[in-house]
Amino acid sequence: AVAAAAAAPAQSEDDDDELSLEPTEEKDRLEQARLIAPLMKKSLKNGEKWYLIAADWFQQWEAYTGHVRYTSPRQPKSDDSPGPINNSTLLIGGQLLPSRMEGVHFVLVPREAWKLLKAWYGLKSAETVLQRSVVATALRAPFVEVYLLNLIVMMHDDPTLRQFKHTLSRTITVGELHATIADMFNVSVANTRVWTCDHGEPDELLSTATLNLDDCAIRPGQIVMLEHKQSDGSWKIRENGVYGSSGSTLYGSSAFTSLRTGAGAGVGVGVGTSAGTGTGSSGSNYNNYSSSSN
């Protein structure tokens, strides 16, 4: 069975941040609410860093300080301090649990608010820091990319049946994806092209190199296939996604058939939404699939 792609991992803060577990300053709790309130109304800007904080911790902090999201602070409802920032309820094995939702499981705070809260309360563990990037595309307003895309990558007619797990940002362009996949299989970009696959068959040719993956509606768990040009310079797959006269079958092997029948159904899901919710940080990585689940 094909191993399931992992959710986006917990991420460390930037190198220029002092990652101290202990509080570094004291501040009256009413003053805390007054300082944080305007920061929570900040607009998203492409390239900024925002942080996830577990909703249970943040709600206890609000009760302790009188902070109320999207309005003015009120009288505190509790005298119990929330203690060190603790995101352990969001993580498993050091990675963000799949399908976590803003406002239900976590709250997103801008960098400035994170640094203040960290200074006042410290951290339960450095491994639970969840930093994410604000990204934007031609078709979408800036959003926090909480989860990266997890793709299944393969080569058409590859006799070794290699399959890769590829994790990357939605802002990566088709050209960048093409170059990365070609590098995985040690082939040239000039002699290859990239297809999405649906129900085990070629679906759409990704021919516009400048489009990013979000604008192409690439979905989490998408199967992406690299096609190599034939020796006579022709392509085996026609541009409508069907095969030429050779009658070749894309998924003739049991490994490919397993993808058609749902072995990849466990791939982690990430949902991107605008105005402060969304899906991991920019960048990408890939790992060779094993023949059995780990």
Side-chain angles (χ1 to χ4, degrees):
V2 178
Q11 298 170 3
S12 298
E13 294 187 277
D14 292 345
D15 292 339
D16 61 350
D17 276 338
E18 181 184 353
L19 197 57
S20 172
L21 297 183
E22 299 299 324
T24 57
E25 64 177 80
E26 293 184 6
K27 183 69 66 177
D28 176 80
R29 55 178 169 164
L30 298 180
E31 181 68 3
Q32 291 179 29
R34 188 189 68 80
L35 291 173
I36 294 295
L39 298 177
M40 297 298 291
K41 299 176 184 178
K42 182 179 178 181
S43 299
L44 297 173
K45 293 183 180 179
N46 192 22
E48 288 184 336
K49 303 297 184 184
W50 284 57
Y51 292 80
L52 282 71
I53 296 180
D56 53 355
W57 187 94
F58 197 80
Q59 289 164 3
Q60 180 59 40
W61 175 79
E62 288 186 311
Y64 179 65
T65 63
H67 179 268
V68 181
R69 271 166 280 180
Y70 316 119
T71 187
S72 301
R74 300 175 182 175
Q75 193 65 23
K77 297 180 179 180
S78 172
D79 291 327
D80 296 328
S81 170
I85 300 172
N86 184 5
N87 282 337
S88 59
T89 57
L90 297 175
L91 300 165
I92 184 170
Q95 296 182 334
L96 180 62
L97 287 162
S99 304
R100 301 299 89 180
M101 298 173 59
E102 184 191 11
V104 177
H105 303 103
F106 65 85
V107 175
L108 284 166
V109 303
R111 181 187 180 92
E112 299 89 340
W114 167 261
K115 294 185 76 171
L116 288 175
L117 292 170
K118 181 167 67 72
W120 298 332
Y121 294 95
L123 302 172
K124 185 74 172 180
S125 170
E127 285 70 36
T128 65
V129 176
L130 292 166
Q131 180 197 86
R132 296 295 186 259
S133 296
V134 177
V135 299
T137 71
L139 301 180
R140 294 177 66 180
F143 63 95
V144 179
E145 195 174 27
V146 176
Y147 291 96
L148 297 176
L149 279 174
N150 295 300
L151 306 181
I152 298 172
V153 178
M154 60 184 61
M155 181 84 170
H156 176 244
D157 281 349
D158 178 16
T160 66
L161 306 181
R162 287 173 295 173
Q163 303 163 38
F164 292 91
K165 173 177 64 178
H166 190 35
T167 305
L168 72 170
S169 171
R170 287 165 169 75
T171 60
I172 296 296
T173 65
V174 168
E176 291 168 327
L177 174 65
H178 190 175
T180 300
I181 299 176
D183 183 62
M184 290 181 192
F185 292 97
N186 196 28
V187 295
S188 71
V189 170
N191 292 322
T192 56
R193 57 185 186 176
V194 179
W195 292 83
T196 61
C197 296
D198 187 40
H199 296 93
E201 299 297 339
D203 179 42
E204 182 179 354
L205 178 64
L206 301 179
S207 57
T208 307
T210 55
L211 283 180
N212 59 52
L213 302 188
D214 193 67
D215 295 336
C216 294
I218 301 296
R219 63 183 185 274
Q222 178 78 60
I223 300 171
V224 179
M225 181 192 68
L226 191 67
E227 180 193 12
H228 200 282
K229 188 180 293 185
Q230 299 185 97
S231 58
D232 62 0
S234 65
W235 299 104
K236 184 172 289 187
I237 308 173
R238 297 173 184 168
E239 294 208 7
N240 59 2
V242 301
Y243 289 92
S245 59
S246 65
S248 172
T249 301
L250 175 60
Y251 294 108
S253 72
S254 59
F256 289 160
T257 302
S258 69
L259 290 174
R260 295 187 64 177
T261 56
V267 175
V269 175
V271 179
T273 57
S274 61
T277 64
T279 64
S281 68
S282 300
S284 65
N285 59 76
Y286 60 88
N287 298 285
N288 201 356
Y289 270 118
S290 60
S291 58
S292 61
S293 298
N294 294 325

